Amino acid sequence: MKKKPGANAVVIAGLSYRAITILFFCLLGAELFFVWADHVINVGRLIDQGPIRRFFNITREDAVASWFAVMQTWMLGLTAGLLYLVSRGRQDERWQRVGWAILCLFFFYMAMDDGAEFHERIGSTVKALILGDSAADGSRAIGIFPSYTWQLVFLPIFGAFGLFLLWFLNRTLTSSTDKLFVLAAIGLLVLAVIADFFEGIDNPRNPLDVYTSLAGDWDVSRRAFVHYSKAVEEFFEMLSMSVLWVVLLRHLVSTAPVIEIRSGKRR
């Protein structure tokens, strides 16, 4: 006989695996639309009005794709937070509770970072502090590091979190398929960071400036080449967050098909 919820309890029925699969394809469809809209509406100038084109520019932080990415990452953090509450309610081992709490806080931070361009601003600040007045000459290189300064500052932090995410979810998840999805999501993020590194090298004398060479070979401007590279980079980042969100939702369904939220004093 099933136990009935108390008078002060709110029962939230969990998602089904089918609903999660539908959600993923909806997210993927939206992300593909952003790439298409950037190419057709923004780059192809389907609309004459610049503000509307910028709205569909996938590389801008004030575009609809950026809003979508921020909200998706925020929902990922919320899902990790629910898994923390479930883990605490089940009295799981401490490392599991701490792990879900770390994931929750970091994904919430990433949502804030994407919306406020936090890592780019900190990178620019560090560059100005190191180079002083010479930072205004447009050069991105600091010493032997030729690309964006934010990578020099934040990449060790993001890399450490990526390794923690891989370790924690590989130890926590029970589905081999979900573990492969996590690996694929991290791989997409790595590809996005690599693309961003080469995008930031704008010096034809540097042998690592492969984008200038490729743009010349394809007979397009470097600016156009970098734009499409950034579009693919943003797509990879959004898709990786979609995959991670689906993995966490599937784990939530398997561990807590029904969530009961209680209020008031226990008797």
Side-chain angles (χ1 to χ4, degrees):
M1 182 175 180
K2 294 183 178 179
K3 183 180 178 180
K4 295 182 179 180
N8 296 325
V10 178
V11 177
I12 304 176
L15 290 171
S16 65
Y17 288 111
R18 177 181 174 84
I20 295 173
T21 302
I22 293 173
L23 172 64
F24 171 74
F25 283 107
C26 288
L27 296 173
L28 177 61
E31 290 153 5
L32 290 172
F33 168 77
F34 296 142
V35 175
W36 174 87
D38 175 73
H39 174 68
V40 174
I41 300 176
N42 177 45
V43 179
R45 293 180 174 270
L46 181 65
I47 298 175
D48 293 332
Q49 288 73 23
I52 301 298
R53 291 200 307 271
R54 290 192 292 272
F55 182 71
F56 290 102
N57 187 337
I58 196 173
T59 67
R60 292 180 62 96
E61 298 296 332
D62 57 353
V64 64
S66 179
W67 171 83
F68 173 89
V70 169
M71 292 302 299
Q72 180 175 237
T73 307
W74 191 89
M75 292 300 297
L76 185 55
L78 181 62
T79 305
L82 287 175
L83 283 165
Y84 163 74
L85 293 177
V86 170
S87 181
R88 191 178 69 173
R90 290 171 31 160
Q91 297 182 340
D92 290 339
E93 294 183 48
R94 185 176 181 181
W95 68 268
Q96 290 179 291
R97 303 195 303 270
V98 171
W100 288 121
I102 291 175
L103 262 60
C104 173
L105 293 175
F106 192 84
F107 285 129
F108 278 145
Y109 159 76
M110 287 299 298
M112 179 279 296
D113 188 296
D114 285 344
E117 300 182 274
F118 181 75
H119 66 272
E120 291 94 344
R121 296 180 189 275
I122 295 298
S124 299
T125 302
V126 170
K127 175 184 174 182
L129 291 173
I130 294 176
L131 299 182
D133 294 337
S134 60
D137 64 0
S139 175
R140 294 169 181 160
I142 292 184
I144 62 173
F145 191 79
S147 190
Y148 297 120
T149 313
W150 79 260
Q151 293 188 347
L152 193 62
V153 179
F154 282 89
L155 201 54
I157 300 173
F158 291 163
F161 176 76
L163 292 175
F164 171 79
L165 181 70
L166 185 62
W167 168 81
F168 176 74
L169 292 182
N170 184 67
R171 188 175 178 184
T172 303
L173 300 176
T174 57
S175 169
S176 298
T177 301
D178 287 346
K179 292 180 181 180
L180 289 175
F181 284 158
V182 171
L183 187 61
I186 294 177
L188 288 171
L189 290 174
V190 170
L191 290 175
V193 171
I194 292 173
D196 190 78
F197 173 79
F198 287 107
E199 291 160 11
I201 305 174
D202 190 7
N203 182 2
R205 293 176 296 179
N206 192 318
L208 293 176
D209 187 8
V210 295
Y211 275 29
T212 298
S213 301
L214 290 174
D217 294 340
W218 291 10
D219 195 25
V220 296
S221 67
R222 188 184 192 280
R223 181 179 180 182
F225 194 91
V226 169
H227 177 86
Y228 282 110
S229 176
K230 287 182 177 290
V232 174
E233 174 194 336
E234 294 295 333
F235 173 74
F236 281 173
E237 290 179 1
M238 288 187 289
L239 180 57
S240 66
M241 293 297 106
S242 297
V243 172
L244 287 176
W245 190 19
V246 165
V247 167
L248 264 59
L249 285 173
R250 284 169 56 88
H251 186 66
L252 181 62
V253 167
S254 66
T255 55
V258 176
I259 299 175
E260 182 178 323
I261 302 175
R262 295 180 179 274
S263 62
K265 297 181 179 180
R266 294 182 179 181
R267 294 183 179 179

